Amino acid sequence: MKKVAFIKRGSCSHWVGDGFPVRSIFSYHDIADQLSPFLLMDYAGPADFPPTRRKLGVGQHPHRGLETVTIVYQGGVSHRDSSSGGGTIGPGDVQWMTAASGLIHEEYHSPEFAAQGGIFEMVQLWVNLPAKDKLAAPGYQAITADRIPVVDLPGQAGTARIIAGQLDEVRGPARTFTPMNVWDLRLATDHRVSLALPAGYTTALFVLRGALRFGDHDDQPGVGAAELAVMDREGSELAFDVTADSTVLLLNGAPLNEPIVGHGPFVMNTREEILQAIHDYNSGRFGRIGV
Ligand code: MN
């Protein structure tokens, strides 16, 4: 049975642009290898926005060498990028954007949400690419909620929405470069959950709401809202008790075991590749939005 390696609590809230009040849950700057292939997680909100006609969010900025995965829980996000990807996603939808060789994008509250106002809540996850795919062609997967299969967990413990990977015979829609499971779990209090996951993979549980307890004794660590439990890689059974109705994002993936050299929105394997990324971006090789 997997044990908790450590629990990570989000940093103080800071603003990304003027639309996303985020807590940084983890980043390749502080824990690089232990969460591979996952590089970074920002948790935006939940935060109440009054109705506005202004565009709130982040304007044009580049990425290279990674994928950004945006999961909307409440509110709406509109996106456009220089590889002609774009669209608006709402609650339950996921945007899986492959930056790879490089693109420029912008991320804003959707016009519909901005006009209406209300609670905004999303997770943005950065997924690393293996060295051989860092310069692959950019791509964009708009994964709407109706395409994400829902699996009932045994004993009426709750449900798992399979965004990526596979549970039992059910496969999620996201195409990924390396094997991983990204599941949106809704769990009922006073139930025990047991999941079989590949041994040797990175496993982490991010609790958006509710509380989980690991182990058989009361002195084992609990994890609550806006906290991430990172599990040992040994073992293939992940088991925990749900001690309050919970919304949990499960991350599970094969570690890449490759060097990570990052500079802001670029994550490569060497310093030379970072300098090349900056050079390519500055010379306009990442394209332009709307062209
Ligand atoms: Mn971005």
Side-chain angles (χ1 to χ4, degrees):
M1 178 146 18
K2 287 181 173 296
K3 294 196 175 75
V4 175
F6 58 95
I7 291 173
K8 190 93 170 54
R9 296 182 169 84
S11 65
C12 301
S13 188
H14 65 278
W15 284 84
V16 174
D18 57 7
F20 308 111
V22 307
R23 282 172 276 185
S24 169
I25 305 303
F26 68 87
S27 147
Y28 64 89
H29 295 294
D30 49 28
I31 26 180
D33 296 325
Q34 286 147 299
L35 281 154
S36 175
F38 307 104
L39 286 170
L40 174 150
M41 182 193 278
D42 275 350
Y43 179 37
D48 197 359
F49 284 87
T52 180
R53 274 187 232 166
R54 291 174 53 218
K55 260 176 105 175
L56 300 178
V58 251
Q60 300 192 13
H61 61 279
H63 290 285
R64 173 180 276 185
L66 53 90
E67 300 183 291
T68 65
V69 178
T70 304
I71 303 167
V72 175
Y73 291 87
Q74 302 182 75
V77 176
S78 290
H79 149 101
R80 286 195 309 158
D81 70 55
S82 57
S83 76
S84 69
T88 292
I89 58 170
D93 299 337
V94 176
Q95 172 202 95
W96 199 293
M97 187 190 82
T98 305
S101 65
L103 51 63
I104 293 169
H105 77 151
E106 56 181 32
E107 305 161 90
Y108 288 105
H109 292 193
S110 66
E112 299 76 18
F113 172 72
Q116 197 181 329
I119 305 289
F120 185 90
E121 184 182 28
M122 73 171 212
V123 166
Q124 187 169 84
L125 180 68
W126 290 14
V127 175
N128 205 0
L129 292 173
K132 68 176 179 56
D133 295 316
K134 280 190 177 289
L135 297 181
Y140 177 77
Q141 301 174 64
I143 302 173
T144 46
D146 57 306
R147 291 180 53 214
I148 301 174
V150 182
V151 176
D152 289 322
L153 299 174
Q156 299 189 313
T159 57
R161 294 200 320 136
I162 312 301
I163 298 167
Q166 183 166 356
L167 174 58
D168 301 329
E169 299 305 308
V170 179
R171 285 204 67 82
R175 292 183 307 275
T176 65
F177 283 79
T178 57
M180 71 187 69
N181 292 295
V182 177
W183 302 344
D184 172 17
L185 306 174
R186 307 300 163 107
L187 306 171
T189 189
D190 294 330
H191 284 77
R192 186 163 178 81
V193 173
S194 173
L195 299 164
L197 297 167
Y201 276 31
T202 295
T203 302
L205 291 164
F206 178 61
V207 178
L208 289 89
R209 269 174 281 289
L212 311 177
R213 195 175 62 221
F214 296 88
D216 295 325
H217 305 288
D218 285 345
D219 60 349
Q220 292 293 297
V223 56
E227 296 180 342
L228 180 85
V230 181
M231 311 304 292
D232 281 334
R233 290 203 176 124
E234 290 75 43
S236 59
E237 188 198 356
L238 173 66
F240 52 86
D241 292 302
V242 183
T243 54
D245 285 347
S246 297
T247 300
V248 175
L249 184 63
L250 177 142
L251 306 179
N252 173 252
L256 297 181
N257 298 318
E258 292 175 343
I260 295 172
V261 181
H263 178 77
F266 308 132
V267 181
M268 304 299 290
N269 303 109
T270 68
R271 197 178 124 72
E272 290 67 35
E273 289 167 348
I274 290 295
L275 295 174
Q276 186 69 48
I278 295 167
H279 176 78
D280 290 349
Y281 170 58
N282 287 336
S283 29
R285 289 194 196 143
F286 284 27
R288 277 164 46 203
I289 294 179
V291 175

